[in-house]
Amino acid sequence: MDDLIRLTRDHEIAIITINNPPVNALSPAVAQGIAQAIEQAGNDESVKAVVLIGGGRTFIAGADIKEFGKITSGRVPRGPGLLPLLLRIEDSKPVVMAIHGMAFGGGLELAMAGHYRVAAANAQLGQPEVKLGIIPGAAGTQRLPRLVGVAKALEMCAEGNPISAQQALEFGLVDRLIDGDLLAGAVAFARGVAGKPAPKTRERNDKLGTLERNTPLFAAARDKARLKQRGMRSPLAAIEAVEAATKLPFEQGCEVEGKLFDECLFSDQSKALIHVFFGEREVAKIPDIPKEIAILPVNTAAVVGAGTMGGGIAMVFANAGIPVLLKDADQPALDRGLATIQKNYASSVKRGRFTQQFVDERLKLIRPILNYDNFSDVDMVVEAVFEGMAPKTQVFGELDRVCRKGAILASNTSTLNIDEIASATSRPESVIGTHFFSPANVMRLLEIVRGKSTGKEAIATCMQLSRKLGKVGVLVGNCRGFVGNRMFHHYVRESLFLVEEGAEPDYVDRALYDFGMALGPLATGDLAGLDVGWRIRKEYRHLEKPGVRQPIVGDRLCELGRFGQKTGAGWYKYDENRRAIPDPEVNELVRQWAIEAGIPQRKVSSQEIVERCIYALVNEGARILEEGIALRAVDIDIIYINGYGFPAHLGGPMWYADTVGLKNVYQRICDFHRQFGELWEPAPLLKHLVEEGKTFAEVMRQPAVVA
Ligand code: T1G
């Protein structure tokens, strides 16, 4: 036994403790250590029962995901996996699994091979494998329905969300909840079952239901997976595997699961989702910011501007338990902001996301005010006023006057120059961009914008704070539109050109929806409000290169007052339930405008639509990488998945380009360059990587802090 596994005794009870920080991942070495410990305890007659427990903060959070890449790349052979170990545990003396923290994936599968499970009240249990594009691969789809029933097993394996210890007790996954000392409680439980015949999960069939009762369950689960996890293979594979458990003997069910597991593991979707899993952790690492940097306290906050974004941001702080002042210029604006907050919370309670008690406590943390009186006490301020340089610099001038030294002054601007905003203060080192995405209380992404003078403490503090706020913080450099919106501009540009060239709006949207985007670009415009983009285009018109083609139809539509959902019509008409209805009037208007502008009309394929819109993202992403505005390609991927509805199972635009093959992407971009001119000039980095036979995933940049 090595440091990973410790075998100790409490009289006739053997205790196996796993020590593989940070999450006791079930690596091959850990599995081997457990096997040896079980063997040793099995061969020792004085041992009457065994307790298995995780050392540190958790039980086992799953198989070691880092091993998968080694298997799919052929670097290590595809071994027998965990199945033999789990059978050995099930056939040994009574084993009590003592669960605290997380029992996820292979960790729960190991726990279910045990004869009994006891848990701390705050334990979480789940099969999250589908979120990695795989399915449980160690008989989880076979043992779980035998313990919790078919319906619950389907939900847990196909959706991948954990359940609480209390729910696990109710469904029979856990035999007892332990208050206080978990190990002591588990040993006491083991003492109670020692020497008695131990129930083997694989032999239990009482909860597997009947064909008649199960068939509608599987049909409903498939429909739900196709709707909620659109385009993903793993949820459907998980459903197939659980179905096999209800129709086949255990061993054969495991074979079906094994085949489906391998099919998923070697798929591009799984590689993409594992890229996203580690990517969400990697974006938190900023090369030039030392780990030991001082993190500034953020125990109180303030938001300036109670509009849609300001109200949502105030909810984010309150939801994290941080008291927040919410300031606006006049009472009616403040009342409107508070009313929206209350409406949003009410719908969260209705949808079961929050309890009324939680909401009542949170609302108490949001304090509406009309002046800057108490701003001297707050640790951080987020400005969320109208998107114009003048109102923002005016607010920052005020904040510089009223806020205490060391307070973080953040702007929620989505496009404006952070250095120019900072120049309105005497403390640019405390000024930073914190670009939330609408609705701020829902969207996970937080684009953190580093100005040329932004201090490392402020950056490190905001990166860490983003986790506390339930966000994925990604650090980006300061340029027009930062990373997300700067790329999105090119994506939308191409969608507008395609409409002008003859593709109808819903056809363009359908092509990108079928590709996997949460919503097409035109419907997204209608949702956000077409006037927002129109105002920004007008603000930057002077920067447009003469003679370079610019979309015309977007502006023409806005000139007619068609701003989208907010005006009942944009690219689509909207009914009273805000359902989008294709509008022949728009198609006709666009045709006229395009012909007036001399734009030839032609049939456009959905493949061309996808390539032009997605490769426009990739090409601009490559420019952003070479400028150091993004540190890594994965940072761009995480931004697009969490802020722009790019499908996670494709890994993000840069990973997707690597999957398609940069050579192929580059060739198409060169085709478009020849066809449409300089807007499609290939990014030098892309050309360079193709020449070197490299991928975006290999690119690592130093942050672009413009001197
Ligand atoms: N394998 C390898 N590394 C892991 C890991 C795992 N399963 N889980 C976490 N880590 C690393 C992570 O990369 C980070 O590293 C550090 O641990 C802390 O994690 C056979 C095949 C458990 C809820 O999908 O969801 O079992 O960045 O920052 O926020 O059927 O980690 O510090 O270098 O996320 O407190 C199924 C994955 C695997 C769970 C903790 N299990 N993990 O969250 O910490 S597949 C999962 C999580 C499987 C079987 C199949 C979360 C967490 P670093 P963290 P956290």
Side-chain angles (χ1 to χ4, degrees), residues 22-23 57 61 63-65 68 106 109 129 136-137 277 281 285 467:
V23 294
R57 70 177 178 130
D64 188 338
I65 304 169
F68 298 159
E109 290 169 302
E129 286 91 340
F277 174 83
R281 284 136 187 95
K285 298 165 185 156
R467 275 184 80 119

mmCIF file with all atom_site columns, all heavy atoms in Angstrom, residues 22-23 57 61 63-65 68 106 109 129 136-137 277 281 285 467, ligand 1:
data_model
loop_
_atom_site.group_PDB
_atom_site.id
_atom_site.type_symbol
_atom_site.label_atom_id
_atom_site.label_alt_id
_atom_site.label_comp_id
_atom_site.label_asym_id
_atom_site.label_entity_id
_atom_site.label_seq_id
_atom_site.pdbx_PDB_ins_code
_atom_site.Cartn_x
_atom_site.Cartn_y
_atom_site.Cartn_z
_atom_site.occupancy
_atom_site.B_iso_or_equiv
_atom_site.pdbx_formal_charge
_atom_site.auth_seq_id
_atom_site.auth_comp_id
_atom_site.auth_asym_id
_atom_site.auth_atom_id
_atom_site.pdbx_PDB_model_num
ATOM   1   N N   . PRO A 1 22  ? -6.515  16.561 -5.541  1.00 0.00 ? 22  PRO A N   1
ATOM   2   C CA  . PRO A 1 22  ? -7.502  17.301 -4.768  1.00 0.00 ? 22  PRO A CA  1
ATOM   3   C C   . PRO A 1 22  ? -8.887  16.667 -4.664  1.00 0.00 ? 22  PRO A C   1
ATOM   4   O O   . PRO A 1 22  ? -9.671  17.041 -3.802  1.00 0.00 ? 22  PRO A O   1
ATOM   5   C CB  . PRO A 1 22  ? -7.592  18.633 -5.514  1.00 0.00 ? 22  PRO A CB  1
ATOM   6   C CG  . PRO A 1 22  ? -7.319  18.266 -6.937  1.00 0.00 ? 22  PRO A CG  1
ATOM   7   C CD  . PRO A 1 22  ? -6.310  17.147 -6.890  1.00 0.00 ? 22  PRO A CD  1
ATOM   8   N N   . VAL A 1 23  ? -9.226  15.705 -5.563  1.00 0.00 ? 23  VAL A N   1
ATOM   9   C CA  . VAL A 1 23  ? -10.597 15.176 -5.548  1.00 0.00 ? 23  VAL A CA  1
ATOM   10  C C   . VAL A 1 23  ? -10.642 13.648 -5.485  1.00 0.00 ? 23  VAL A C   1
ATOM   11  O O   . VAL A 1 23  ? -11.653 13.040 -5.847  1.00 0.00 ? 23  VAL A O   1
ATOM   12  C CB  . VAL A 1 23  ? -11.375 15.674 -6.787  1.00 0.00 ? 23  VAL A CB  1
ATOM   13  C CG1 . VAL A 1 23  ? -11.564 17.167 -6.736  1.00 0.00 ? 23  VAL A CG1 1
ATOM   14  C CG2 . VAL A 1 23  ? -10.703 15.219 -8.076  1.00 0.00 ? 23  VAL A CG2 1
ATOM   15  N N   . ARG A 1 57  ? -11.215 16.460 1.423   1.00 0.00 ? 57  ARG A N   1
ATOM   16  C CA  . ARG A 1 57  ? -12.518 17.152 1.329   1.00 0.00 ? 57  ARG A CA  1
ATOM   17  C C   . ARG A 1 57  ? -13.606 16.332 0.660   1.00 0.00 ? 57  ARG A C   1
ATOM   18  O O   . ARG A 1 57  ? -14.765 16.757 0.646   1.00 0.00 ? 57  ARG A O   1
ATOM   19  C CB  . ARG A 1 57  ? -12.341 18.468 0.575   1.00 0.00 ? 57  ARG A CB  1
ATOM   20  C CG  . ARG A 1 57  ? -12.037 18.320 -0.919  1.00 0.00 ? 57  ARG A CG  1
ATOM   21  C CD  . ARG A 1 57  ? -11.961 19.658 -1.595  1.00 0.00 ? 57  ARG A CD  1
ATOM   22  N NE  . ARG A 1 57  ? -11.629 19.569 -3.012  1.00 0.00 ? 57  ARG A NE  1
ATOM   23  C CZ  . ARG A 1 57  ? -12.307 20.178 -3.959  1.00 0.00 ? 57  ARG A CZ  1
ATOM   24  N NH1 . ARG A 1 57  ? -13.365 20.882 -3.658  1.00 0.00 ? 57  ARG A NH1 1
ATOM   25  N NH2 . ARG A 1 57  ? -11.960 20.064 -5.209  1.00 0.00 ? 57  ARG A NH2 1
ATOM   26  N N   . ALA A 1 61  ? -14.338 11.805 -6.853  1.00 0.00 ? 61  ALA A N   1
ATOM   27  C CA  . ALA A 1 61  ? -15.075 12.627 -7.832  1.00 0.00 ? 61  ALA A CA  1
ATOM   28  C C   . ALA A 1 61  ? -15.051 12.015 -9.221  1.00 0.00 ? 61  ALA A C   1
ATOM   29  O O   . ALA A 1 61  ? -15.305 12.698 -10.209 1.00 0.00 ? 61  ALA A O   1
ATOM   30  C CB  . ALA A 1 61  ? -14.481 14.032 -7.863  1.00 0.00 ? 61  ALA A CB  1
ATOM   31  N N   . ALA A 1 63  ? -13.467 8.800  -12.169 1.00 0.00 ? 63  ALA A N   1
ATOM   32  C CA  . ALA A 1 63  ? -12.230 8.286  -12.748 1.00 0.00 ? 63  ALA A CA  1
ATOM   33  C C   . ALA A 1 63  ? -11.335 9.472  -13.060 1.00 0.00 ? 63  ALA A C   1
ATOM   34  O O   . ALA A 1 63  ? -11.806 10.608 -13.130 1.00 0.00 ? 63  ALA A O   1
ATOM   35  C CB  . ALA A 1 63  ? -12.550 7.524  -14.026 1.00 0.00 ? 63  ALA A CB  1
ATOM   36  N N   . ASP A 1 64  ? -10.043 9.238  -13.239 1.00 0.00 ? 64  ASP A N   1
ATOM   37  C CA  . ASP A 1 64  ? -9.116  10.335 -13.537 1.00 0.00 ? 64  ASP A CA  1
ATOM   38  C C   . ASP A 1 64  ? -9.280  10.734 -15.001 1.00 0.00 ? 64  ASP A C   1
ATOM   39  O O   . ASP A 1 64  ? -8.834  10.039 -15.915 1.00 0.00 ? 64  ASP A O   1
ATOM   40  C CB  . ASP A 1 64  ? -7.675  9.895  -13.264 1.00 0.00 ? 64  ASP A CB  1
ATOM   41  C CG  . ASP A 1 64  ? -6.713  11.073 -13.374 1.00 0.00 ? 64  ASP A CG  1
ATOM   42  O OD1 . ASP A 1 64  ? -7.078  12.064 -14.047 1.00 0.00 ? 64  ASP A OD1 1
ATOM   43  O OD2 . ASP A 1 64  ? -5.617  11.013 -12.782 1.00 0.00 ? 64  ASP A OD2 1
ATOM   44  N N   . ILE A 1 65  ? -9.905  11.872 -15.210 1.00 0.00 ? 65  ILE A N   1
ATOM   45  C CA  . ILE A 1 65  ? -10.234 12.318 -16.580 1.00 0.00 ? 65  ILE A CA  1
ATOM   46  C C   . ILE A 1 65  ? -8.969  12.510 -17.412 1.00 0.00 ? 65  ILE A C   1
ATOM   47  O O   . ILE A 1 65  ? -8.975  12.365 -18.630 1.00 0.00 ? 65  ILE A O   1
ATOM   48  C CB  . ILE A 1 65  ? -11.063 13.618 -16.533 1.00 0.00 ? 65  ILE A CB  1
ATOM   49  C CG1 . ILE A 1 65  ? -12.325 13.427 -15.698 1.00 0.00 ? 65  ILE A CG1 1
ATOM   50  C CG2 . ILE A 1 65  ? -11.440 14.109 -17.919 1.00 0.00 ? 65  ILE A CG2 1
ATOM   51  C CD1 . ILE A 1 65  ? -13.067 14.720 -15.376 1.00 0.00 ? 65  ILE A CD1 1
ATOM   52  N N   . PHE A 1 68  ? -8.062  9.776  -19.916 1.00 0.00 ? 68  PHE A N   1
ATOM   53  C CA  . PHE A 1 68  ? -8.828  9.505  -21.136 1.00 0.00 ? 68  PHE A CA  1
ATOM   54  C C   . PHE A 1 68  ? -8.045  9.872  -22.389 1.00 0.00 ? 68  PHE A C   1
ATOM   55  O O   . PHE A 1 68  ? -8.019  9.134  -23.374 1.00 0.00 ? 68  PHE A O   1
ATOM   56  C CB  . PHE A 1 68  ? -10.160 10.250 -21.115 1.00 0.00 ? 68  PHE A CB  1
ATOM   57  C CG  . PHE A 1 68  ? -11.073 9.843  -20.002 1.00 0.00 ? 68  PHE A CG  1
ATOM   58  C CD1 . PHE A 1 68  ? -12.085 10.684 -19.583 1.00 0.00 ? 68  PHE A CD1 1
ATOM   59  C CD2 . PHE A 1 68  ? -10.918 8.625  -19.362 1.00 0.00 ? 68  PHE A CD2 1
ATOM   60  C CE1 . PHE A 1 68  ? -12.927 10.322 -18.539 1.00 0.00 ? 68  PHE A CE1 1
ATOM   61  C CE2 . PHE A 1 68  ? -11.746 8.252  -18.324 1.00 0.00 ? 68  PHE A CE2 1
ATOM   62  C CZ  . PHE A 1 68  ? -12.751 9.110  -17.900 1.00 0.00 ? 68  PHE A CZ  1
ATOM   63  N N   . GLY A 1 106 ? -17.149 7.362  -11.594 1.00 0.00 ? 106 GLY A N   1
ATOM   64  C CA  . GLY A 1 106 ? -16.573 6.110  -11.102 1.00 0.00 ? 106 GLY A CA  1
ATOM   65  C C   . GLY A 1 106 ? -16.607 6.020  -9.585  1.00 0.00 ? 106 GLY A C   1
ATOM   66  O O   . GLY A 1 106 ? -16.647 4.922  -9.023  1.00 0.00 ? 106 GLY A O   1
ATOM   67  N N   . GLU A 1 109 ? -19.967 4.711  -8.845  1.00 0.00 ? 109 GLU A N   1
ATOM   68  C CA  . GLU A 1 109 ? -20.007 3.305  -9.298  1.00 0.00 ? 109 GLU A CA  1
ATOM   69  C C   . GLU A 1 109 ? -19.298 2.394  -8.299  1.00 0.00 ? 109 GLU A C   1
ATOM   70  O O   . GLU A 1 109 ? -19.777 1.305  -7.973  1.00 0.00 ? 109 GLU A O   1
ATOM   71  C CB  . GLU A 1 109 ? -19.389 3.213  -10.696 1.00 0.00 ? 109 GLU A CB  1
ATOM   72  C CG  . GLU A 1 109 ? -20.258 3.871  -11.774 1.00 0.00 ? 109 GLU A CG  1
ATOM   73  C CD  . GLU A 1 109 ? -19.558 4.011  -13.095 1.00 0.00 ? 109 GLU A CD  1
ATOM   74  O OE1 . GLU A 1 109 ? -18.489 4.655  -13.137 1.00 0.00 ? 109 GLU A OE1 1
ATOM   75  O OE2 . GLU A 1 109 ? -20.075 3.447  -14.084 1.00 0.00 ? 109 GLU A OE2 1
ATOM   76  N N   . GLU A 1 129 ? -21.032 11.890 -16.189 1.00 0.00 ? 129 GLU A N   1
ATOM   77  C CA  . GLU A 1 129 ? -20.239 11.515 -17.367 1.00 0.00 ? 129 GLU A CA  1
ATOM   78  C C   . GLU A 1 129 ? -20.770 12.123 -18.671 1.00 0.00 ? 129 GLU A C   1
ATOM   79  O O   . GLU A 1 129 ? -19.987 12.510 -19.542 1.00 0.00 ? 129 GLU A O   1
ATOM   80  C CB  . GLU A 1 129 ? -20.182 9.988  -17.507 1.00 0.00 ? 129 GLU A CB  1
ATOM   81  C CG  . GLU A 1 129 ? -19.272 9.293  -16.508 1.00 0.00 ? 129 GLU A CG  1
ATOM   82  C CD  . GLU A 1 129 ? -20.007 8.892  -15.232 1.00 0.00 ? 129 GLU A CD  1
ATOM   83  O OE1 . GLU A 1 129 ? -21.081 9.454  -14.951 1.00 0.00 ? 129 GLU A OE1 1
ATOM   84  O OE2 . GLU A 1 129 ? -19.487 8.037  -14.503 1.00 0.00 ? 129 GLU A OE2 1
ATOM   85  N N   . PRO A 1 136 ? -21.502 6.530  -17.938 1.00 0.00 ? 136 PRO A N   1
ATOM   86  C CA  . PRO A 1 136 ? -20.866 5.726  -16.903 1.00 0.00 ? 136 PRO A CA  1
ATOM   87  C C   . PRO A 1 136 ? -20.299 4.458  -17.544 1.00 0.00 ? 136 PRO A C   1
ATOM   88  O O   . PRO A 1 136 ? -20.971 3.811  -18.338 1.00 0.00 ? 136 PRO A O   1
ATOM   89  C CB  . PRO A 1 136 ? -22.018 5.440  -15.941 1.00 0.00 ? 136 PRO A CB  1
ATOM   90  C CG  . PRO A 1 136 ? -22.960 6.570  -16.137 1.00 0.00 ? 136 PRO A CG  1
ATOM   91  C CD  . PRO A 1 136 ? -22.882 6.898  -17.587 1.00 0.00 ? 136 PRO A CD  1
ATOM   92  N N   . GLY A 1 137 ? -19.044 4.151  -17.198 1.00 0.00 ? 137 GLY A N   1
ATOM   93  C CA  . GLY A 1 137 ? -18.400 3.018  -17.874 1.00 0.00 ? 137 GLY A CA  1
ATOM   94  C C   . GLY A 1 137 ? -18.024 1.888  -16.936 1.00 0.00 ? 137 GLY A C   1
ATOM   95  O O   . GLY A 1 137 ? -17.340 0.950  -17.337 1.00 0.00 ? 137 GLY A O   1
ATOM   96  N N   . PHE A 1 277 ? -14.009 20.960 -20.098 1.00 0.00 ? 277 PHE A N   1
ATOM   97  C CA  . PHE A 1 277 ? -13.888 20.724 -18.647 1.00 0.00 ? 277 PHE A CA  1
ATOM   98  C C   . PHE A 1 277 ? -12.576 21.298 -18.116 1.00 0.00 ? 277 PHE A C   1
ATOM   99  O O   . PHE A 1 277 ? -12.556 22.099 -17.186 1.00 0.00 ? 277 PHE A O   1
ATOM   100 C CB  . PHE A 1 277 ? -13.972 19.229 -18.328 1.00 0.00 ? 277 PHE A CB  1
ATOM   101 C CG  . PHE A 1 277 ? -13.715 18.920 -16.874 1.00 0.00 ? 277 PHE A CG  1
ATOM   102 C CD1 . PHE A 1 277 ? -14.734 19.027 -15.938 1.00 0.00 ? 277 PHE A CD1 1
ATOM   103 C CD2 . PHE A 1 277 ? -12.442 18.560 -16.431 1.00 0.00 ? 277 PHE A CD2 1
ATOM   104 C CE1 . PHE A 1 277 ? -14.490 18.782 -14.587 1.00 0.00 ? 277 PHE A CE1 1
ATOM   105 C CE2 . PHE A 1 277 ? -12.194 18.311 -15.085 1.00 0.00 ? 277 PHE A CE2 1
ATOM   106 C CZ  . PHE A 1 277 ? -13.216 18.415 -14.165 1.00 0.00 ? 277 PHE A CZ  1
ATOM   107 N N   . ARG A 1 281 ? -11.096 25.348 -16.121 1.00 0.00 ? 281 ARG A N   1
ATOM   108 C CA  . ARG A 1 281 ? -10.162 25.462 -14.997 1.00 0.00 ? 281 ARG A CA  1
ATOM   109 C C   . ARG A 1 281 ? -8.890  26.183 -15.423 1.00 0.00 ? 281 ARG A C   1
ATOM   110 O O   . ARG A 1 281 ? -8.310  26.943 -14.668 1.00 0.00 ? 281 ARG A O   1
ATOM   111 C CB  . ARG A 1 281 ? -9.860  24.080 -14.436 1.00 0.00 ? 281 ARG A CB  1
ATOM   112 C CG  . ARG A 1 281 ? -11.032 23.568 -13.588 1.00 0.00 ? 281 ARG A CG  1
ATOM   113 C CD  . ARG A 1 281 ? -11.394 22.133 -13.854 1.00 0.00 ? 281 ARG A CD  1
ATOM   114 N NE  . ARG A 1 281 ? -12.614 21.818 -13.114 1.00 0.00 ? 281 ARG A NE  1
ATOM   115 C CZ  . ARG A 1 281 ? -13.835 21.879 -13.654 1.00 0.00 ? 281 ARG A CZ  1
ATOM   116 N NH1 . ARG A 1 281 ? -13.998 22.245 -14.921 1.00 0.00 ? 281 ARG A NH1 1
ATOM   117 N NH2 . ARG A 1 281 ? -14.905 21.595 -12.935 1.00 0.00 ? 281 ARG A NH2 1
ATOM   118 N N   . LYS A 1 285 ? -6.045  30.473 -14.742 1.00 0.00 ? 285 LYS A N   1
ATOM   119 C CA  . LYS A 1 285 ? -4.603  30.598 -14.499 1.00 0.00 ? 285 LYS A CA  1
ATOM   120 C C   . LYS A 1 285 ? -4.017  31.694 -15.399 1.00 0.00 ? 285 LYS A C   1
ATOM   121 O O   . LYS A 1 285 ? -4.054  31.575 -16.617 1.00 0.00 ? 285 LYS A O   1
ATOM   122 C CB  . LYS A 1 285 ? -3.927  29.235 -14.736 1.00 0.00 ? 285 LYS A CB  1
ATOM   123 C CG  . LYS A 1 285 ? -4.456  28.168 -13.771 1.00 0.00 ? 285 LYS A CG  1
ATOM   124 C CD  . LYS A 1 285 ? -4.130  26.752 -14.141 1.00 0.00 ? 285 LYS A CD  1
ATOM   125 C CE  . LYS A 1 285 ? -4.827  25.790 -13.157 1.00 0.00 ? 285 LYS A CE  1
ATOM   126 N NZ  . LYS A 1 285 ? -5.043  24.444 -13.722 1.00 0.00 ? 285 LYS A NZ  1
ATOM   127 N N   . ARG A 1 467 ? -15.605 33.136 -9.473  1.00 0.00 ? 467 ARG A N   1
ATOM   128 C CA  . ARG A 1 467 ? -16.042 31.797 -9.001  1.00 0.00 ? 467 ARG A CA  1
ATOM   129 C C   . ARG A 1 467 ? -17.078 31.954 -7.890  1.00 0.00 ? 467 ARG A C   1
ATOM   130 O O   . ARG A 1 467 ? -18.113 31.299 -7.899  1.00 0.00 ? 467 ARG A O   1
ATOM   131 C CB  . ARG A 1 467 ? -14.852 31.017 -8.443  1.00 0.00 ? 467 ARG A CB  1
ATOM   132 C CG  . ARG A 1 467 ? -14.059 30.271 -9.492  1.00 0.00 ? 467 ARG A CG  1
ATOM   133 C CD  . ARG A 1 467 ? -12.978 29.449 -8.850  1.00 0.00 ? 467 ARG A CD  1
ATOM   134 N NE  . ARG A 1 467 ? -13.505 28.202 -8.300  1.00 0.00 ? 467 ARG A NE  1
ATOM   135 C CZ  . ARG A 1 467 ? -13.092 27.004 -8.732  1.00 0.00 ? 467 ARG A CZ  1
ATOM   136 N NH1 . ARG A 1 467 ? -12.229 26.935 -9.722  1.00 0.00 ? 467 ARG A NH1 1
ATOM   137 N NH2 . ARG A 1 467 ? -13.572 25.897 -8.203  1.00 0.00 ? 467 ARG A NH2 1
HETATM 138 N N1  . T1G B 2 .   ? -10.129 13.614 -12.892 1.00 0.00 ? 1   T1G B N1  1
HETATM 139 C C1  . T1G B 2 .   ? -8.996  14.362 -12.931 1.00 0.00 ? 1   T1G B C1  1
HETATM 140 N N2  . T1G B 2 .   ? -8.878  15.625 -12.397 1.00 0.00 ? 1   T1G B N2  1
HETATM 141 C C2  . T1G B 2 .   ? -9.968  16.109 -11.813 1.00 0.00 ? 1   T1G B C2  1
HETATM 142 C C3  . T1G B 2 .   ? -11.197 15.396 -11.741 1.00 0.00 ? 1   T1G B C3  1
HETATM 143 C C4  . T1G B 2 .   ? -11.249 14.084 -12.303 1.00 0.00 ? 1   T1G B C4  1
HETATM 144 N N3  . T1G B 2 .   ? -12.360 13.337 -12.270 1.00 0.00 ? 1   T1G B N3  1
HETATM 145 N N4  . T1G B 2 .   ? -12.091 16.175 -11.096 1.00 0.00 ? 1   T1G B N4  1
HETATM 146 C C5  . T1G B 2 .   ? -11.457 17.321 -10.783 1.00 0.00 ? 1   T1G B C5  1
HETATM 147 N N5  . T1G B 2 .   ? -10.188 17.295 -11.206 1.00 0.00 ? 1   T1G B N5  1
HETATM 148 C C6  . T1G B 2 .   ? -9.165  18.333 -11.023 1.00 0.00 ? 1   T1G B C6  1
HETATM 149 C C7  . T1G B 2 .   ? -9.508  19.643 -11.736 1.00 0.00 ? 1   T1G B C7  1
HETATM 150 O O1  . T1G B 2 .   ? -9.069  19.635 -13.061 1.00 0.00 ? 1   T1G B O1  1
HETATM 151 C C8  . T1G B 2 .   ? -8.750  20.665 -10.894 1.00 0.00 ? 1   T1G B C8  1
HETATM 152 O O2  . T1G B 2 .   ? -7.413  20.622 -11.295 1.00 0.00 ? 1   T1G B O2  1
HETATM 153 C C9  . T1G B 2 .   ? -8.856  20.089 -9.494  1.00 0.00 ? 1   T1G B C9  1
HETATM 154 O O3  . T1G B 2 .   ? -9.144  18.690 -9.658  1.00 0.00 ? 1   T1G B O3  1
HETATM 155 C C10 . T1G B 2 .   ? -9.955  20.698 -8.665  1.00 0.00 ? 1   T1G B C10 1
HETATM 156 O O4  . T1G B 2 .   ? -11.153 20.617 -9.399  1.00 0.00 ? 1   T1G B O4  1
HETATM 157 C C11 . T1G B 2 .   ? -15.658 5.229  -15.053 1.00 0.00 ? 1   T1G B C11 1
HETATM 158 C C12 . T1G B 2 .   ? -15.380 7.260  -16.795 1.00 0.00 ? 1   T1G B C12 1
HETATM 159 C C13 . T1G B 2 .   ? -15.504 17.391 -8.351  1.00 0.00 ? 1   T1G B C13 1
HETATM 160 C C14 . T1G B 2 .   ? -17.263 19.099 -8.598  1.00 0.00 ? 1   T1G B C14 1
HETATM 161 O O5  . T1G B 2 .   ? -17.111 14.397 -14.208 1.00 0.00 ? 1   T1G B O5  1
HETATM 162 O O6  . T1G B 2 .   ? -17.031 18.189 -11.579 1.00 0.00 ? 1   T1G B O6  1
HETATM 163 O O7  . T1G B 2 .   ? -15.801 8.617  -13.683 1.00 0.00 ? 1   T1G B O7  1
HETATM 164 O O8  . T1G B 2 .   ? -7.175  22.924 -12.195 1.00 0.00 ? 1   T1G B O8  1
HETATM 165 O O9  . T1G B 2 .   ? -11.357 23.117 -9.711  1.00 0.00 ? 1   T1G B O9  1
HETATM 166 O O10 . T1G B 2 .   ? -14.721 23.464 -8.271  1.00 0.00 ? 1   T1G B O10 1
HETATM 167 O O11 . T1G B 2 .   ? -17.848 5.893  -15.277 1.00 0.00 ? 1   T1G B O11 1
HETATM 168 O O12 . T1G B 2 .   ? -13.990 19.046 -10.266 1.00 0.00 ? 1   T1G B O12 1
HETATM 169 O O13 . T1G B 2 .   ? -6.480  22.412 -9.878  1.00 0.00 ? 1   T1G B O13 1
HETATM 170 O O14 . T1G B 2 .   ? -5.215  21.466 -11.825 1.00 0.00 ? 1   T1G B O14 1
HETATM 171 O O15 . T1G B 2 .   ? -13.195 21.538 -10.478 1.00 0.00 ? 1   T1G B O15 1
HETATM 172 O O16 . T1G B 2 .   ? -14.323 22.143 -6.174  1.00 0.00 ? 1   T1G B O16 1
HETATM 173 C C15 . T1G B 2 .   ? -16.729 11.727 -13.758 1.00 0.00 ? 1   T1G B C15 1
HETATM 174 C C16 . T1G B 2 .   ? -15.443 16.088 -12.540 1.00 0.00 ? 1   T1G B C16 1
HETATM 175 C C17 . T1G B 2 .   ? -15.429 11.395 -14.406 1.00 0.00 ? 1   T1G B C17 1
HETATM 176 C C18 . T1G B 2 .   ? -16.462 15.109 -12.048 1.00 0.00 ? 1   T1G B C18 1
HETATM 177 C C19 . T1G B 2 .   ? -14.977 19.733 -7.796  1.00 0.00 ? 1   T1G B C19 1
HETATM 178 N N6  . T1G B 2 .   ? -16.525 12.794 -12.796 1.00 0.00 ? 1   T1G B N6  1
HETATM 179 N N7  . T1G B 2 .   ? -15.053 17.051 -11.532 1.00 0.00 ? 1   T1G B N7  1
HETATM 180 O O17 . T1G B 2 .   ? -15.169 21.017 -8.256  1.00 0.00 ? 1   T1G B O17 1
HETATM 181 O O18 . T1G B 2 .   ? -12.764 21.887 -8.024  1.00 0.00 ? 1   T1G B O18 1
HETATM 182 S S1  . T1G B 2 .   ? -15.662 10.184 -15.679 1.00 0.00 ? 1   T1G B S1  1
HETATM 183 C C20 . T1G B 2 .   ? -16.727 14.064 -13.120 1.00 0.00 ? 1   T1G B C20 1
HETATM 184 C C21 . T1G B 2 .   ? -15.892 18.045 -11.160 1.00 0.00 ? 1   T1G B C21 1
HETATM 185 C C22 . T1G B 2 .   ? -15.906 8.707  -14.845 1.00 0.00 ? 1   T1G B C22 1
HETATM 186 C C23 . T1G B 2 .   ? -16.602 6.346  -14.889 1.00 0.00 ? 1   T1G B C23 1
HETATM 187 C C24 . T1G B 2 .   ? -16.302 7.543  -15.724 1.00 0.00 ? 1   T1G B C24 1
HETATM 188 C C25 . T1G B 2 .   ? -15.352 19.050 -10.190 1.00 0.00 ? 1   T1G B C25 1
HETATM 189 C C26 . T1G B 2 .   ? -15.775 18.762 -8.733  1.00 0.00 ? 1   T1G B C26 1
HETATM 190 P P1  . T1G B 2 .   ? -6.529  21.910 -11.311 1.00 0.00 ? 1   T1G B P1  1
HETATM 191 P P2  . T1G B 2 .   ? -12.151 21.861 -9.489  1.00 0.00 ? 1   T1G B P2  1
HETATM 192 P P3  . T1G B 2 .   ? -14.267 22.219 -7.608  1.00 0.00 ? 1   T1G B P3  1
#
